[in-house]
Amino acid sequence: MLLSALIVALAAPPAAGSGAPAVPWGPLPGQAAPTSEGPKGQAPPDMSPGTGASGQVETVSPAAASPPVAAPIEPMGPTGPTSARVEAVPPAPGEATLVLTGVGQGGQAIVSSPRGKFLGSFTLGPGESIALRGAAGEYVVRSPGAPYGVVVPVVGRARVQVGTGGPAVVADEGPTPGPVVRVDPPAGTRDGNWRRPVAPILSALVPGVGQMVNREYARGAGFLLGSMSLGAASLALALTRDPADAATPGAHGRTFTTDVVGAAGLGLLTGGLHLLYMAQVMDAYAGAIGRRTPRPHTKHKLSLELRRMATVGMRAGDPAAQLYADWNVGVLGQVAKRFSVGLTDLSLKFGPGRAALQGGPRLQYRVLERGRVWLSLAAGAIVQGAFASGPPPAVPEGEKAPRTAVVAAIPYGQLDLRLFILDRWSIDIVPRISAPLGAARYYRGDGAIPKQAVTLEIGTGLGVYF
């Protein structure tokens, strides 16, 4: 349930009807509550719901009368009116363009950063456009008469239509004649550059602190409490054991079922903690740069993954069931659209008197790309070689020496669910079915899965894309 809640919360789709997430209307931070209508092109004195934009043009049909002469647009920044540049100059390197276009009777657009920093107010007549230039990131566009605004991710270009019904994100049609105005970048791009490295580092040290540095206190507190809860539950479950059951070891113990359930629960709790920890570090960076809507890098050439594959296996002694974890890395190359091949499950493990080295090929095809969520089908095989360490055992004369090396092949099939927090970073959940052939499969310590034992594994990890 914890993993499902995390996925639903992070992958929630935008609200229907606008093409972007809805933002409830409210007073902009730091803006005084005005009392009367102002001139065209400035923020309306009353920003409460129901107040229309000042300076609206009359509703006159172009077929019935000559087109009205629109008054020049006078954009207003946080400190007052600024001069608009009317030449259609190309954007500077690293700049993004947000085009506002008036439709119907036109309307007023108030632009701010996701954290509420006021960037400008613009009144647009029918067919009028204005291009806002600034740093790439997310911008919030609102209209005084509409109950909701829209969050617009602007990477290269984006367009918002402004009418009496409020703003709406539409497909960009290329450059449009009109004034060009440079606005201050969203919070986290200019005055928050220092937060880019600091926020994720602090979240890596203490979950949620990076979000608090970004002034997202409720979000940070949620990550901190969630991490503490999962960590405490995992520790409590790991320490739970019936001391009286040691007299009857193995599968005959009275708590065998409890051991299995406890090991499975420990795997789910620690897997959820891994996902939450990695997600909140990435989220801290996303908040620092002001971009909450990732654009997954679908045309990547190479991807790296770090994963923990976990399962429950039987063992001699008490507890009779134990959580087996396999930490590994992998490298995949995208050789065709949605199709990747690579070498994965690479790891080295040590146990009593032995060492095991493993790795193997994988074929993977992406069957679903929906926003920040990817779903892939994959098949592969792990080749594991186990080697005896230390001096060879003494062998009585006439008897055959035991084998000092064995090789096992572990074919598998899996689902691969990836949730993107940043454009090139994702958290992964991977259910897998596997079975060792030829020999047992060894894990760290004394863990082993017997050959031909069909095994369900649950993997959690992260992916990076280049």
Side-chain angles (χ1 to χ4, degrees):
M1 294 177 61
L2 292 169
L3 302 184
S4 300
L6 175 64
I7 294 175
V8 171
L10 292 174
S18 65
V23 178
W25 172 260
L28 294 172
Q31 302 301 310
T35 57
S36 62
E37 292 188 351
K40 180 181 180 70
Q42 296 185 358
D46 185 4
M47 290 186 179
S48 61
T51 303
S54 61
Q56 296 283 0
V57 300
E58 298 180 359
T59 307
V60 180
S61 172
S66 59
V69 178
I73 298 176
E74 187 179 289
M76 188 183 78
T79 58
T82 60
S83 59
R85 305 200 312 161
V86 297
E87 66 272 14
V89 296
E95 273 191 330
T97 303
L98 173 61
V99 180
L100 306 176
T101 302
V103 294
Q105 298 183 19
Q108 184 170 15
I110 300 174
V111 183
S112 63
S113 74
R115 299 178 194 163
K117 181 179 179 181
F118 180 70
L119 301 177
S121 176
F122 312 93
T123 300
L124 301 164
E128 292 180 342
S129 294
I130 185 171
L132 308 183
R133 296 270 173 79
E138 291 185 342
Y139 292 80
V140 179
V141 182
R142 300 173 174 174
S143 291
Y148 295 97
V150 291
V151 177
V152 188
V154 185
V155 179
R157 287 180 61 90
R159 182 180 297 270
V160 175
Q161 288 184 345
V162 181
T164 55
V169 179
V170 296
D172 182 53
E173 301 174 353
T176 302
V180 176
V181 177
R182 281 188 166 85
V183 297
D184 289 337
T189 57
R190 186 188 66 178
D191 57 347
N193 279 341
W194 62 271
R195 293 188 177 92
R196 295 187 181 190
V198 171
I201 290 174
L202 291 179
S203 279
L205 296 175
V206 181
V209 173
Q211 283 76 10
M212 296 179 187
V213 168
N214 293 334
R215 302 189 184 95
E216 299 171 314
Y217 303 108
R219 197 181 190 95
F223 279 122
L224 178 61
L225 293 177
S227 300
M228 292 176 59
S229 300
L230 286 173
S234 300
L235 181 61
L237 195 56
L239 298 177
T240 300
R241 178 181 174 182
D242 182 4
D245 193 52
T248 311
H252 300 289
R254 290 178 287 120
T255 60
F256 174 67
T257 302
T258 303
D259 290 341
V260 173
V261 173
L266 181 61
L268 292 176
L269 286 173
T270 53
L273 182 59
H274 296 156
L275 291 175
L276 185 61
Y277 176 80
M278 293 181 291
Q280 62 90 27
V281 173
M282 300 178 197
D283 180 82
Y285 183 78
I289 64 175
R291 290 186 60 185
R292 292 289 186 197
T293 307
R295 297 166 60 110
H297 193 45
T298 58
K299 296 182 180 180
H300 66 273
K301 299 298 183 183
L302 188 72
S303 65
L304 305 179
E305 60 184 38
L306 170 65
R307 285 183 179 167
R308 187 202 74 166
M309 303 301 300
T311 189
V312 176
M314 296 179 61
R315 62 183 296 274
D318 188 76
Q322 182 173 320
L323 176 67
Y324 294 158
D326 177 16
W327 286 92
N328 58 77
V329 297
V331 181
L332 291 167
Q334 186 169 230
V335 296
K337 185 178 180 181
R338 300 192 177 198
F339 183 69
S340 300
V341 298
L343 190 62
T344 59
D345 296 279
L346 301 168
S347 68
L348 177 63
K349 308 174 183 64
F350 296 95
R354 60 169 168 78
L357 178 65
Q358 71 175 39
R362 181 193 299 166
L363 305 177
Q364 184 163 300
Y365 183 75
R366 203 159 54 245
V367 297
L368 176 68
E369 294 177 357
R370 180 165 297 178
R372 64 170 70 196
V373 177
W374 286 2
L375 179 64
S376 302
L377 299 177
I382 304 171
V383 179
Q384 184 185 76
F387 310 92
S389 60
V395 180
E397 185 178 352
E399 292 190 11
K400 186 178 180 180
R403 290 189 299 171
T404 58
V406 293
V407 177
I410 305 111
Y412 63 84
Q414 69 182 35
L415 290 175
D416 194 318
L417 178 63
R418 305 194 178 198
L419 177 66
F420 282 79
I421 311 299
L422 298 169
D423 292 356
R424 296 175 183 265
W425 292 77
S426 69
I427 57 174
D428 309 338
I429 302 176
V430 185
R432 171 190 287 182
I433 298 291
S434 63
L437 302 177
R441 178 182 180 181
Y442 293 100
Y443 289 82
R444 178 175 53 87
D446 61 351
I449 298 293
K451 64 179 179 180
Q452 299 179 356
V454 178
T455 307
L456 171 64
E457 303 174 73
I458 300 295
T460 54
L462 62 86
V464 189
Y465 308 86
F466 303 95

